[in-house]
Amino acid sequence: MSGHSTYEFKNPLIRWFDSRLPIFSMIKAQAIDFPTPRNLNYWWVFGGIAATMLVVQLVTGIVLVMHYTPHVDLAFDSVEKIMRDVNYGWLLRWLHANGAAFFFLAVYIHIFRGLYYGSYKAPREVLWMIGIVILIVMMATAFMGYVLPWGQMSYWAAVVITNLFSAIPWVGETIVQWLWGGFSVDNPTLQRFFSLHYLLPFVLAALVFLHIWALHVTGNNNPDGIEVKTEQDTLPFHPYYTMKDLYAILVFFLVFLAFVFYSPWYMGHAINFVPADPLVTPAHIVPEWYFLPQYAMLRAVPDKLGGVVVMFASLIVPMFLPWLDRSPVRSLRYRPLTRFFFWLFAIACLVLGIAGAQPAEGAWLWVARIGTLYYFAYFLVILPLMGKLEKPKPVPPSITDAVLSRGGH
Ligand code: HEM
């Protein structure tokens, strides 16, 4: 992405500017001519969709902030004022709240795409690891954002999650008080969550820039997992993938906006329409759906510290995937046995999500325990073993061969 190109633009003004700051050369090389594998399928549109959702969150968030007050006595009412009195305030809020959920949906699909097609393997390890850091920062951002309306679920989510740190031996209590900025979840907590919720999306934007930079150094992986060998294996990014991505973004928005306009609180919890009350604990404290698998893992372990360690480990372990899965073949298209275990893994994540929404007792607790075991076994046992034991199906010599063998052109 150095942008040093020898391309001569026809327009003299652009030529003049570009020879001083080669922004136009960079756009031409990285977003227009960029050689992209010709066999990418629709699972490759979700990175662009995620980037679009980040922009939606930034724009709606910045306007919401103009009417929101981060104070325990005023936050809940200021959100109600946004909903009732601010012109199109309801739309801003529903776009932002549902936007967070659809952002996670896009990123989760994006991650499973990477898992299936082995996009984390060399030389894309750094790209993958930046992705995991993005996921963790996204989670922190969403959690702190959820606290801001200061409803019952907001408040109690803050209490439950900050209290997790008290499980750390010796220093736990001190850390929790440091997080709170006092001796309970209170005004200083709300204000620091607000400050960080505003800051972190910009950190995310910077991380996404690095993510795409790393992508443009290695180039895309593809559904066959074969490296690009000749120019014939690729197409220029524009117009082929710009148009495909745009189409996918529009379809995704149809679904997203259907929720915003017709069922904006479908994914929410009614109890968050009740103002925060430190004296009344809700019967069930349940996070948003995109945290449910991690929540299930947290509660699957009988010991508090153990639960906290397992939950954080579920986010850290995938970072090491490029070194855990040593199979020379990337795409699960050519690894039928691993593919079977992959689908079990996807089911385990869904089941963990369902278990996370149930009270942590009885049969569901055991379902969550088995799901948690499988989650870690997939990364730490199954993938390393499969890399050694499975004999993959023959991989076509090039992307072009793979496309032609399926009757493509
Ligand atoms: C804000 C969130 C994210 C944004 C905006 C984003 C954006 C993108 C874009 C635009 C691409 C290229 C198009 C595509 O392959 O879909 C990409 C590729 C990729 N991303 Fe992300 N990403 C995000 C999060 C993540 C996460 C959480 C991971 C993994 C943990 C990840 C892993 C990857 C990998 C491995 C590739 C290369 C894919 C390939 O070429 O096969 N990304 N990302």
Side-chain angles (χ1 to χ4, degrees), residues 5 11 28 55-56 137 182 186 221 244 275-276 316-317 324 365:
S5 129
N11 182 316
K28 182 150 174 43
V55 174
V56 170
V137 175
D186 209 333
N221 180 34
K244 185 178 180 181
I316 302 297
V317 165
L324 290 167
L365 193 56

Side-chain angles (χ1 to χ4, degrees), residues 243-260:
M243 288 303 123
K244 185 178 180 181
D245 282 356
L246 191 65
Y247 169 65
I249 289 167
L250 290 177
V251 173
F252 190 82
F253 263 65
L254 279 182
V255 184
F256 167 43
L257 294 180
F259 273 85
V260 168

Side-chain angles (χ1 to χ4, degrees), residues 195-274:
S195 171
L196 292 173
H197 183 68
Y198 205 147
L199 172 71
L200 289 182
F202 294 95
V203 174
L204 270 179
L207 287 167
V208 169
F209 178 80
L210 292 181
H211 190 64
I212 293 174
W213 185 359
L215 174 76
H216 280 227
V217 172
T218 59
N220 283 91
N221 180 34
N222 58 79
D224 289 292
I226 312 165
E227 282 299 302
V228 167
K229 299 209 170 77
T230 60
E231 209 188 313
Q232 221 198 346
D233 290 343
T234 67
L235 291 171
F237 191 75
H238 179 75
Y240 296 99
Y241 288 109
T242 41
M243 288 303 123
K244 185 178 180 181
D245 282 356
L246 191 65
Y247 169 65
I249 289 167
L250 290 177
V251 173
F252 190 82
F253 263 65
L254 279 182
V255 184
F256 167 43
L257 294 180
F259 273 85
V260 168
F261 287 112
Y262 295 103
S263 204
W265 201 245
Y266 182 77
M267 291 178 266
H269 301 286
I271 193 136
N272 224 27
F273 288 113
V274 177

